[in-house]
Amino acid sequence: MSRRRKREPAARRSRAPEQGAGAGRRSRAPEQGVEQGPGAGVEKGGESVVLNVVVNGFWGVRDEGPQVIAERWYATLARLGELDGGTFHGWHEAGDGVPADPLLMPSVPALADYVVRENTGPDLEVVGYGASLWAHNSGAPKVTSAIRVGGSSPYLTNSVLVTFRSRTVGEDADVIRRTPEILAAIGEAWDIDGGQVYDRALYRAVADHFGLKNSDPRCGRAVFLSERRAALAPEGLPGAYTPAAHGGLIIDLTYGGTQTPSAETVIDVNTQLRATGALEPLATPFDRAKL
């Protein structure tokens, strides 16, 4: 059921998608970019992170409450478990990132309750709901599933993330090779406008080259394009083209995890997609979820 949209104060209009929404929340979904700040590539204790990969999806305005959000989130987690049960199980609620954080067995009622518990601030129907879960299993990277969704604000981007971080597991892990499939799962569950797979260095290279904001569409190792974006995608890009849910398209520059595209290749693909309008940002204030 739609709710009446409230006009946002001017101070909110320039925020990145997940910044500062709801002062009363205990958890906050990360931004569309990789972790910010000088310590972004360092874990606690000062050790370098070997693996830092993100799969994200975003869309414009779509007013949804905790029940619908929980249904979409459960569909995402269930599909992740099918793709790699060794990585995606033993989910913990957000806390200190330690095994003592409460476990949550995913189900629609449990996730709906969790979303409500994690969001206690004002104007939730406007700014949306943020929550995250994490899991860290033997031989697997630490994975986080985070959401910032459901708001009616025409100035705040809705987004979902699945992140992978490890000091010991590398890029050759099977779950990392399958990140384009994870992108497809996010696209199906959340009916996203766009999304990508990227690592920290690649994200910064593309952002710096084009002068992009966190919320701007772009291509990483793989890109998800919603139906109208997909119709604008040129043929012949150096990647595997795979139809996705809701009329979308995934272009996988890793060819199923068998290749690692260079930053130069990814920047060239972004140039071509931008030239056709396939990566055009949604106009603000948003009046729709997708291009």
Side-chain angles (χ1 to χ4, degrees):
M1 181 181 298
S2 62
R3 302 182 181 88
R4 188 176 67 179
R5 296 176 187 169
K6 301 181 182 179
R7 186 170 182 84
E8 284 293 293
R12 253 185 206 158
R13 297 178 190 174
S14 62
R15 282 180 183 168
E18 294 79 21
Q19 290 178 343
R25 296 192 182 102
R26 290 190 291 115
S27 70
R28 193 169 64 129
E31 297 181 21
Q32 192 168 332
V34 187
E35 294 80 353
Q36 306 296 306
V42 178
E43 287 280 18
K44 293 179 181 179
E47 297 181 68
S48 296
V49 176
V50 173
L51 181 69
N52 191 353
V53 172
V54 178
V55 186
N56 76 0
F58 67 88
W59 60 97
V61 62
R62 185 184 293 143
D63 183 8
E64 294 180 329
Q67 178 66 26
V68 175
I69 291 169
E71 291 170 359
R72 293 186 185 275
W73 202 2
Y74 176 73
T76 306
L77 298 176
R79 179 58 181 145
L80 293 179
E82 293 172 358
L83 288 172
D84 192 320
T87 298
F88 300 111
H89 79 277
W91 291 103
H92 291 261
E93 297 181 7
D96 297 323
V98 297
D101 290 343
L103 285 166
L104 187 147
M105 180 64 70
S107 69
V108 173
L111 290 167
D113 174 73
Y114 181 53
V115 169
V116 170
R117 286 191 284 113
E118 287 291 281
N119 293 270
T120 59
D123 299 326
L124 293 174
E125 73 278 8
V126 176
V127 299
Y129 299 83
S132 64
L133 297 169
W134 67 270
H136 195 186
N137 297 291
S138 178
K142 182 175 183 178
V143 60
T144 301
S145 174
I147 63 171
R148 173 69 62 196
V149 299
S152 63
S153 169
Y155 298 100
L156 297 177
T157 304
N158 291 278
S159 65
V160 296
L161 303 175
V162 176
T163 66
F164 302 88
R165 288 172 64 86
S166 179
R167 295 194 298 263
T168 57
V169 178
E171 294 274 353
D172 58 346
D174 185 64
V175 70
I176 303 302
R177 291 197 296 267
R178 301 189 72 175
T179 46
E181 296 176 67
I182 294 170
L183 180 58
I186 289 174
E188 180 173 4
W190 296 94
D191 192 10
I192 63 178
D193 185 31
Q196 60 165 327
V197 179
Y198 59 89
D199 58 67
R200 183 167 171 251
L202 184 60
Y203 183 88
R204 290 185 173 178
V206 173
D208 290 348
H209 185 86
F210 295 101
L212 302 178
K213 300 181 297 184
N214 280 346
S215 57
D216 287 337
R218 72 202 72 192
C219 175
R221 303 178 185 187
V223 64
F224 181 102
L225 303 171
S226 60
E227 185 173 10
R228 290 183 178 179
R229 295 185 184 280
L232 298 172
E235 298 180 359
L237 295 176
Y241 288 59
T242 303
H246 312 292
L249 173 70
I250 288 180
I251 304 176
D252 174 17
L253 307 189
T254 75
Y255 290 94
T258 63
Q259 299 183 24
T260 302
S262 66
E264 290 76 14
T265 295
V266 175
I267 287 171
D268 181 64
V269 170
N270 274 274
T271 298
Q272 295 186 61
L273 290 170
R274 287 166 61 87
T276 64
L279 296 179
E280 184 72 19
L282 285 176
T284 54
F286 303 138
D287 62 358
R288 65 191 66 190
K290 303 190 292 184
L291 189 70

Short mmCIF file of all heavy atoms in Angstrom, two decimals, residues 108-136:
data_model
loop_
_atom_site.label_atom_id
_atom_site.label_comp_id
_atom_site.label_asym_id
_atom_site.label_seq_id
_atom_site.Cartn_x
_atom_site.Cartn_y
_atom_site.Cartn_z
N VAL A 108 10.39 -15.31 6.84
CA VAL A 108 9.72 -14.02 6.64
C VAL A 108 9.31 -13.39 7.97
O VAL A 108 9.59 -12.21 8.21
CB VAL A 108 8.54 -14.17 5.67
CG1 VAL A 108 7.74 -12.86 5.60
CG2 VAL A 108 9.02 -14.56 4.28
N PRO A 109 8.68 -14.14 8.88
CA PRO A 109 8.32 -13.50 10.16
C PRO A 109 9.53 -13.03 10.96
O PRO A 109 9.51 -11.94 11.54
CB PRO A 109 7.57 -14.62 10.91
CG PRO A 109 7.04 -15.51 9.84
CD PRO A 109 8.09 -15.49 8.77
N ALA A 110 10.61 -13.83 10.98
CA ALA A 110 11.79 -13.44 11.75
C ALA A 110 12.45 -12.20 11.17
O ALA A 110 12.88 -11.30 11.90
CB ALA A 110 12.79 -14.59 11.80
N LEU A 111 12.51 -12.10 9.85
CA LEU A 111 13.12 -10.94 9.21
C LEU A 111 12.25 -9.70 9.38
O LEU A 111 12.77 -8.60 9.58
CB LEU A 111 13.38 -11.22 7.74
CG LEU A 111 14.50 -12.23 7.45
CD1 LEU A 111 14.47 -12.68 6.00
CD2 LEU A 111 15.86 -11.64 7.80
N ALA A 112 10.92 -9.86 9.28
CA ALA A 112 10.03 -8.71 9.49
C ALA A 112 10.19 -8.16 10.91
O ALA A 112 10.27 -6.94 11.12
CB ALA A 112 8.58 -9.11 9.23
N ASP A 113 10.27 -9.07 11.89
CA ASP A 113 10.47 -8.65 13.27
C ASP A 113 11.81 -7.94 13.44
O ASP A 113 11.91 -6.92 14.13
CB ASP A 113 10.38 -9.86 14.19
CG ASP A 113 10.71 -9.52 15.64
OD1 ASP A 113 9.89 -8.88 16.31
OD2 ASP A 113 11.82 -9.89 16.09
N TYR A 114 12.83 -8.47 12.80
CA TYR A 114 14.17 -7.88 12.91
C TYR A 114 14.20 -6.49 12.30
O TYR A 114 14.78 -5.56 12.87
CB TYR A 114 15.17 -8.80 12.21
CG TYR A 114 16.61 -8.32 12.26
CD1 TYR A 114 17.22 -8.00 13.46
CD2 TYR A 114 17.36 -8.21 11.09
CE1 TYR A 114 18.54 -7.57 13.50
CE2 TYR A 114 18.67 -7.79 11.12
CZ TYR A 114 19.26 -7.47 12.33
OH TYR A 114 20.56 -7.04 12.36
N VAL A 115 13.58 -6.31 11.14
CA VAL A 115 13.55 -5.00 10.50
C VAL A 115 12.86 -3.99 11.41
O VAL A 115 13.32 -2.84 11.55
CB VAL A 115 12.84 -5.09 9.13
CG1 VAL A 115 12.55 -3.69 8.57
CG2 VAL A 115 13.69 -5.87 8.13
N VAL A 116 11.77 -4.39 12.04
CA VAL A 116 11.07 -3.48 12.94
C VAL A 116 11.94 -3.13 14.14
O VAL A 116 12.04 -1.97 14.55
CB VAL A 116 9.73 -4.10 13.40
CG1 VAL A 116 9.11 -3.28 14.52
CG2 VAL A 116 8.77 -4.22 12.23
N ARG A 117 12.61 -4.15 14.72
CA ARG A 117 13.45 -3.91 15.90
C ARG A 117 14.63 -3.00 15.59
O ARG A 117 15.07 -2.23 16.43
CB ARG A 117 13.96 -5.25 16.46
CG ARG A 117 12.93 -6.06 17.18
CD ARG A 117 13.55 -7.23 17.93
NE ARG A 117 13.95 -8.32 17.06
CZ ARG A 117 15.19 -8.70 16.84
NH1 ARG A 117 16.21 -8.04 17.38
NH2 ARG A 117 15.47 -9.74 16.04
N GLU A 118 15.16 -3.09 14.38
CA GLU A 118 16.35 -2.32 14.01
C GLU A 118 16.04 -0.89 13.60
O GLU A 118 16.97 -0.11 13.38
CB GLU A 118 17.08 -3.03 12.86
CG GLU A 118 17.81 -4.30 13.28
CD GLU A 118 19.00 -3.98 14.15
OE1 GLU A 118 20.05 -3.59 13.63
OE2 GLU A 118 18.86 -4.11 15.39
N ASN A 119 14.78 -0.55 13.48
CA ASN A 119 14.41 0.77 12.99
C ASN A 119 13.40 1.42 13.93
O ASN A 119 12.22 1.06 13.94
CB ASN A 119 13.82 0.66 11.58
CG ASN A 119 14.85 0.21 10.56
OD1 ASN A 119 15.53 1.03 9.96
ND2 ASN A 119 14.99 -1.10 10.38
N THR A 120 13.90 2.36 14.72
CA THR A 120 13.07 3.00 15.73
C THR A 120 13.03 4.51 15.59
O THR A 120 12.45 5.18 16.42
CB THR A 120 13.60 2.65 17.14
OG1 THR A 120 14.96 3.08 17.25
CG2 THR A 120 13.54 1.14 17.38
N GLY A 121 13.65 5.03 14.55
CA GLY A 121 13.71 6.47 14.37
C GLY A 121 12.44 7.03 13.76
O GLY A 121 11.50 6.29 13.40
N PRO A 122 12.37 8.35 13.61
CA PRO A 122 11.20 8.99 13.02
C PRO A 122 11.18 8.88 11.50
O PRO A 122 12.19 8.59 10.86
CB PRO A 122 11.36 10.46 13.44
CG PRO A 122 12.85 10.64 13.52
CD PRO A 122 13.39 9.33 14.05
N ASP A 123 10.00 9.09 10.92
CA ASP A 123 9.84 9.22 9.46
C ASP A 123 10.31 7.99 8.69
O ASP A 123 10.85 8.11 7.58
CB ASP A 123 10.57 10.46 8.95
CG ASP A 123 10.05 11.76 9.55
OD1 ASP A 123 8.85 11.84 9.81
OD2 ASP A 123 10.87 12.67 9.75
N LEU A 124 10.10 6.80 9.25
CA LEU A 124 10.56 5.60 8.57
C LEU A 124 9.88 5.41 7.22
O LEU A 124 10.47 4.86 6.29
CB LEU A 124 10.32 4.37 9.45
CG LEU A 124 11.16 4.32 10.74
CD1 LEU A 124 10.74 3.14 11.59
CD2 LEU A 124 12.64 4.25 10.42
N GLU A 125 8.61 5.84 7.11
CA GLU A 125 7.92 5.68 5.84
C GLU A 125 8.54 6.57 4.76
O GLU A 125 8.33 6.34 3.57
CB GLU A 125 6.43 6.01 5.99
CG GLU A 125 6.10 7.48 6.17
CD GLU A 125 6.26 7.98 7.60
OE1 GLU A 125 6.78 7.23 8.45
OE2 GLU A 125 5.86 9.13 7.86
N VAL A 126 9.34 7.56 5.18
CA VAL A 126 10.00 8.45 4.22
C VAL A 126 11.42 7.97 3.94
O VAL A 126 11.82 7.78 2.78
CB VAL A 126 10.02 9.90 4.75
CG1 VAL A 126 10.80 10.80 3.77
CG2 VAL A 126 8.61 10.42 4.93
N VAL A 127 12.22 7.79 5.00
CA VAL A 127 13.64 7.48 4.81
C VAL A 127 13.89 5.99 4.60
O VAL A 127 14.98 5.60 4.16
CB VAL A 127 14.48 7.97 6.00
CG1 VAL A 127 14.37 9.48 6.14
CG2 VAL A 127 14.07 7.28 7.30
N GLY A 128 12.92 5.14 4.91
CA GLY A 128 13.09 3.71 4.68
C GLY A 128 13.68 2.99 5.87
O GLY A 128 13.89 3.56 6.95
N TYR A 129 13.99 1.70 5.65
CA TYR A 129 14.42 0.80 6.70
C TYR A 129 15.82 0.27 6.40
O TYR A 129 16.10 -0.16 5.28
CB TYR A 129 13.45 -0.39 6.81
CG TYR A 129 12.04 0.02 7.15
CD1 TYR A 129 11.16 0.44 6.14
CD2 TYR A 129 11.57 -0.01 8.46
CE1 TYR A 129 9.86 0.83 6.45
CE2 TYR A 129 10.27 0.37 8.77
CZ TYR A 129 9.43 0.78 7.76
OH TYR A 129 8.15 1.16 8.07
N GLY A 130 16.69 0.29 7.40
CA GLY A 130 18.03 -0.24 7.25
C GLY A 130 18.27 -1.39 8.20
O GLY A 130 17.84 -1.35 9.36
N ALA A 131 18.94 -2.42 7.73
CA ALA A 131 19.27 -3.56 8.58
C ALA A 131 20.36 -4.38 7.88
O ALA A 131 20.56 -4.26 6.68
CB ALA A 131 18.05 -4.44 8.85
N SER A 132 21.06 -5.19 8.65
CA SER A 132 22.08 -6.05 8.05
C SER A 132 22.24 -7.32 8.87
O SER A 132 21.95 -7.35 10.07
CB SER A 132 23.43 -5.32 7.94
OG SER A 132 23.94 -5.00 9.21
N LEU A 133 22.71 -8.36 8.21
CA LEU A 133 23.07 -9.64 8.81
C LEU A 133 24.47 -10.00 8.34
O LEU A 133 24.88 -9.61 7.24
CB LEU A 133 22.09 -10.74 8.40
CG LEU A 133 20.63 -10.59 8.81
CD1 LEU A 133 19.77 -11.63 8.08
CD2 LEU A 133 20.46 -10.74 10.32
N TRP A 134 25.19 -10.78 9.15
CA TRP A 134 26.51 -11.23 8.72
C TRP A 134 26.69 -12.70 9.06
O TRP A 134 26.05 -13.24 9.96
CB TRP A 134 27.61 -10.39 9.36
CG TRP A 134 27.75 -10.53 10.85
CD1 TRP A 134 27.13 -9.79 11.81
CD2 TRP A 134 28.57 -11.49 11.55
NE1 TRP A 134 27.50 -10.22 13.06
CE2 TRP A 134 28.38 -11.25 12.93
CE3 TRP A 134 29.43 -12.50 11.13
CZ2 TRP A 134 29.04 -12.01 13.90
CZ3 TRP A 134 30.08 -13.25 12.10
CH2 TRP A 134 29.89 -13.01 13.47
N ALA A 135 27.60 -13.33 8.30
CA ALA A 135 27.95 -14.73 8.55
C ALA A 135 29.43 -14.90 8.25
O ALA A 135 29.97 -14.27 7.33
CB ALA A 135 27.12 -15.67 7.68
N HIS A 136 30.09 -15.75 9.02
CA HIS A 136 31.50 -16.04 8.78
C HIS A 136 31.75 -17.50 9.14
O HIS A 136 31.81 -17.87 10.30
CB HIS A 136 32.39 -15.13 9.62
CG HIS A 136 33.82 -15.14 9.17
ND1 HIS A 136 34.84 -14.49 9.86
CD2 HIS A 136 34.42 -15.72 8.09
CE1 HIS A 136 35.98 -14.67 9.22
NE2 HIS A 136 35.75 -15.42 8.14
#
